[in-house]
Amino acid sequence: VFFLGDGLTLHRREILNKIPQAKIAANHFWYPKAANLGIIAGEKLSKGKEDSLFDLVPLYLYPKECTVQVKVK
């Protein structure tokens, strides 16, 4: 999972503490631009990986879904 957006300026450390394997996108990817998708796709293709155009679906999250919840054991 990649995390991106200006909320990372506040929550990056908390996310990485809770999800050490989380991937944080560089800040030039934080705002939707078609060119950013091309850069990501190019990096993926250079590693021999690809996705089907017909299987890609955007996932939009809103504050309610993005709340970091802490489970106390």
Side-chain angles (χ1 to χ4, degrees):
V1 174
F2 280 91
F3 288 85
L4 58 127
D6 55 5
L8 286 168
T9 56
L10 296 173
H11 303 290
R12 174 191 302 255
R13 186 172 290 146
E14 187 175 359
I15 289 169
L16 291 172
N17 284 338
K18 302 289 179 201
I19 310 168
Q21 71 274 23
K23 304 293 184 207
I24 305 294
N27 62 354
H28 61 272
F29 291 117
W30 289 4
Y31 303 100
K33 294 179 188 172
N36 290 344
L37 291 177
I39 291 168
I40 292 169
E43 289 173 359
K44 199 168 186 178
L45 282 171
S46 72
K47 296 176 184 174
K49 299 178 181 178
E50 60 184 63
D51 291 308
S52 165
L53 173 66
F54 301 104
D55 293 334
L56 297 175
V57 179
L59 174 63
Y60 297 100
L61 299 176
Y62 299 94
K64 183 179 176 183
E65 293 100 4
C66 296
T67 303
V68 176
Q69 297 180 11
V70 178
K71 294 181 181 181
V72 179
K73 293 182 180 182

